[in-house]
Amino acid sequence: MPSKFPEIQGGGSLILAWQIKGKEVLVIGGGEVAAGRIVNLLNADAKVTVVCPRDGLNEEVAYRVDRKQVKHVDRVFLPLDLEPEKNVAMILTAIDDPEASTRIWKYCKKLKVPANIADVPPECDFYFGSVHRDGPLQIMVSTNGNGPRMAAAIRRQIGEMLPEGTGDSIKKVGQLRRKLRKIAPGKSTRDISKRMGWMSDVCDQWTTENFNAMDEDDMNTLVQYYEGGKVPTFEEIRLGSRDDVVWEFDGSFGWM
């Protein structure tokens, strides 16, 4: 008999959105791999320090250093870079020295600092996936270290399948949620469940195009339906509240 519960599929990773904003991250190395890691970290608003001799920085990493987007320590890694007072939240190595990378990884394990050793899956506490980004939308594809290039191809396919304007529609949903919390600020479990349930219904019934077309007046009108538990259509919102929209019958309904 098939189980009514999900089957366990071991061997995966726990996919998380790590909130690294404002936290200290150490990147060891200054080549192409390091450059990619730095972009991801800066997009997440991390405070990045690059440890690498100046002559080891590639053009992109040198640009980040010169623009003061990252701090730079002009030498090889030393244990003092992970002293407790530095409050390093994670460390990433991207150097062409497997033995040095392993020594750094072991030191990180001793200090309980999460580490990613580039191209050495057994020495990684976490992996980087291939990410599709559209404003607030982020979709990560991970092959758990088996095929990074394939992950990139799958990520591109997913991005091409998404409706145009998906990121913008998500921004509108975020604005709508904030408005809803203002008019219904209750913090009890019942209040939270009701807000989440109503927002879920709105997202299920409205299309990406509806959210993209929604303006401030539409949002203000929509949240007024919350207490009654109704989710109106986008057309009902516009028809009921907008004087600038003219609804006329032009005989084009296709009646025979």
Side-chain angles (χ1 to χ4, degrees), residues 23-251:
K23 296 181 180 179
E24 299 287 345
V25 179
L26 205 62
V27 176
I28 303 172
E32 182 179 353
V33 174
R37 300 287 194 252
I38 290 168
V39 169
N40 289 331
L41 292 167
L42 293 178
N43 283 339
D45 300 319
K47 295 180 179 179
V48 181
T49 297
V50 177
V51 179
C52 181
R54 179 78 194 197
D55 60 9
L57 303 181
N58 76 358
E59 183 181 5
E60 181 176 350
V61 178
Y63 170 84
R64 306 289 177 200
V65 171
D66 293 340
R67 294 291 297 271
K68 300 189 184 304
Q69 295 176 349
V70 301
K71 298 177 185 177
H72 179 222
V73 179
D74 187 6
R75 57 166 169 75
V76 298
F77 171 82
L78 295 174
L80 61 86
D81 293 318
L82 284 178
E83 289 177 342
E85 60 268 21
K86 295 185 183 295
N87 294 315
V88 175
M90 71 164 63
I91 186 169
L92 314 173
T93 74
I95 56 177
D96 295 325
D97 188 336
E99 292 184 2
S101 292
T102 295
R103 287 197 300 271
I104 294 170
W105 175 70
K106 289 180 178 178
Y107 189 57
C108 290
K109 297 298 284 184
K110 180 179 178 180
L111 297 179
K112 295 182 169 55
V113 177
N116 175 280
I117 311 302
D119 206 31
V120 188
E123 296 181 0
C124 292
D125 294 306
F126 56 93
Y127 301 121
F128 284 87
S130 184
V131 177
H132 170 80
R133 181 75 186 270
D134 181 3
L137 175 64
Q138 291 179 268
I139 301 174
M140 189 184 91
V141 178
S142 173
T143 59
N144 286 297
N146 287 283
R149 181 63 64 179
M150 193 169 202
I154 295 170
R155 180 258 303 163
R156 287 192 294 271
Q157 292 172 18
I158 292 173
E160 292 168 357
M161 291 169 57
L162 294 174
E164 185 177 352
T166 298
D168 290 334
S169 70
I170 292 172
K171 289 180 183 177
K172 296 286 185 71
V173 171
Q175 293 175 309
L176 183 63
R177 289 182 64 196
R178 290 188 286 274
K179 283 184 177 291
L180 180 59
R181 283 196 292 267
K182 284 185 178 180
I183 69 165
K187 297 181 180 180
S188 70
T189 301
R190 181 178 178 277
D191 293 328
I192 294 171
S193 295
K194 183 179 178 181
R195 282 199 304 270
M196 291 177 63
W198 188 79
M199 279 300 309
S200 295
D201 290 341
V202 172
C203 291
D204 287 343
Q205 296 179 39
W206 283 37
T207 66
T208 298
E209 290 77 14
N210 291 158
F211 285 118
N212 284 342
M214 179 173 62
D215 60 21
E216 192 82 11
D217 289 337
D218 297 327
M219 290 186 201
N220 291 333
T221 301
L222 178 56
V223 295
Q224 299 306 314
Y225 285 82
Y226 168 71
E227 284 299 330
K230 179 184 176 181
V231 176
T233 65
F234 178 74
E235 289 74 17
E236 287 175 321
I237 292 291
R238 284 290 171 95
L239 181 60
S241 64
R242 298 293 294 271
D243 295 330
D244 60 331
V245 177
V246 179
W247 299 82
E248 296 180 345
F249 169 61
D250 61 2

Side-chain angles (χ1 to χ4, degrees), residues 13-17 140 142 144:
S13 298
L14 183 62
I15 304 296
L16 301 171
M140 189 184 91
S142 173
N144 286 297

